[in-house]
Amino acid sequence: MIYTIIDVETTGKSNKLTEISIFKYDGTQVIDEFTSLINPQMLIPDYITALTGIDNGMVADAPTFSEIAQAIFDFTDHCIFVAHNVNFDYNAVRNEFKAVGIDFNRKKLCTIRLARKLIPGHKSYSLGKLCNALHIHIADRHRARGDAEATVILFELLLAQDHAETVFNDFLKKSSKEATLPSHLPTSVFNSLPNTPGVYYFKNKKGKIIYVGKAKDIKKRVLSHFYSKTKKSLAMCRETADIDFALSGSELIALLMEDAAIKQHYPEYNQVAKRAPKMHAIFSYTDRKGILHLAYNTLKATPNPILILHTITECRQEIEQLCSQFELCPKYCHLQENVSTCNHFKIHTCNGICKDEEAVEQYNQRVLQSIESIKTNKKDVVLKQKGRYEYEDAFIMIEQGTYLGYGFIDKTEQINTTEDLETFLIRQQDNSDVQKIIRRVLN
């Protein structure tokens, strides 16, 4: 079995190679080497130069990847791709090959994951700290050749461990979960994940939440992230060092928990629904002529709101429906501004209040009826859900159309009124995203 032990340096976020070093190892000794600077055909950021020492001048006359692609392909052919945090190096190399139209596929091994299994108990498995703990000298840290040479020594040490052959073979199996997990994530953390509904939290080395997700099966959904080859997933998995979770019992409560967690933590890799939107509301007032108006504004600027909604569009849609149903005037419902009489493009129910053709009292009566209909439709609802465990139930509470939160309750509890449930209620913030989730269920 022949291994190619590889390290690359890149431009950072754009991940273009600036240097590659490959040691061909036959299980006993190094039998060949390929090392080269690479012109990334773009500027190298200053922070990368500060880290690696590789600047734009050094790579100006270096070959581009396309010029050495065939040599690298041939050098690694029929070999196992080995690296410290292998997914980073492997994907960086594979993407370069993809850019020049070559399909690059190799079996791979990660020395971080191998080290966690064969020499457990170290505080850190980063190359620098692990080599320091094992007294492996790195001649030129953060340069491809220096790091690759140190990885060779580490690899030799791992091969010499008890049960190394079994561990290596297990990792090389295509179906091996070990080969798929992020390098910094302990296998025990993944194994502790449940196959039940809930939310999960990806955390980096500092314990900061970088992604929140929900699932019907937490373990299965988490594993799917590690198989994904999208740029976002690869970057997220490289940073993942821990995964936490919370059970929900049902997918619906998982959705609600996910929304609340995203708005609380603002995770880096969640791109939607990060901040609670500004609330809006419908209200009424009487003008100098005694005509009762329906109008809308931000909740903060709304006196005595009749109905709280989450967007201006929702407010307009609600008023349009009332306008049609109760034969109201679009002008006095503020669906049209700065017009003497209404001429709405789709609502033609006005009986002439804007032309002085209808009595104010008669018109106001229908406005009052529309307001009463809003209040009638704002129902109190309790949605029963499956609990997290066999011995409990869950519920979602909505009061007057407003989402209050969810809760979990032992099946032996005696519940006679809605008030009895409030003891178990985990209160949450209402928002437009939650309302969309709730509305789908209620409809």
Side-chain angles (χ1 to χ4, degrees), residues 9 19 29 35 45 50 103 105 118 122 138 170 176 185 187 228 245 260 283-284 288 318 352-353 391 420 430:
E9 301 301 331
E19 189 175 37
Q29 61 184 347
T35 298
D103 187 24
N105 284 291
L118 291 167
H122 288 274
I138 304 179
D170 286 345
S176 171
L185 181 69
T187 308
S228 174
F245 64 90
F283 66 100
S284 65
R288 292 178 182 179
E318 180 72 24
I353 184 67
Y391 59 80
D420 293 338
D430 194 10

Side-chain angles (χ1 to χ4, degrees), residues 8-42:
V8 301
E9 301 301 331
T10 74
T11 55
K13 287 185 178 180
S14 53
N15 229 28
K16 298 289 290 180
L17 298 189
T18 58
E19 189 175 37
I20 188 167
S21 185
I22 311 171
F23 287 88
K24 189 173 285 190
Y25 183 79
D26 66 0
T28 304
Q29 61 184 347
V30 173
I31 57 175
D32 206 350
E33 177 189 345
F34 180 97
T35 298
S36 177
L37 286 166
I38 300 171
N39 186 339
Q41 298 180 292
M42 64 175 292

Side-chain angles (χ1 to χ4, degrees), residues 38-52:
I38 300 171
N39 186 339
Q41 298 180 292
M42 64 175 292
L43 291 176
I44 299 172
D46 291 341
Y47 74 95
I48 293 294
T49 297
L51 177 68
T52 67

Side-chain angles (χ1 to χ4, degrees), residues 56 145 231 234 238 262 310 325 329 348 363 391 442:
N56 296 302
R145 192 180 190 282
K231 190 174 181 180
L234 291 171
R238 278 200 300 271
I262 290 171
H310 305 279
Q325 183 180 350
C329 175
H348 309 286
Y363 177 78
Y391 59 80
L442 294 179

Side-chain angles (χ1 to χ4, degrees), residues 8 38-39 53 75 79 85 141 151 161 215 221 229 267 279-280 293 295 350 359 372-373 387 390 413 418 430 441 443:
V8 301
I38 300 171
N39 186 339
F75 195 85
C79 298
N85 190 7
R141 186 73 174 106
T151 307
Q161 300 302 307
R221 181 70 185 97
K229 299 303 179 186
M279 305 289 277
H280 292 76
H293 290 235
C350 178
E372 188 60 33
S373 77
E390 290 294 327
E413 291 285 343
T418 304
D430 194 10
V441 176
N443 288 342

Side-chain angles (χ1 to χ4, degrees), residues 82-83 110 115 198 204-205 234 301 338 356 395:
V82 180
C110 179
N204 62 17
K205 291 179 182 178
L234 291 171
N338 303 316
D356 297 326
F395 66 92

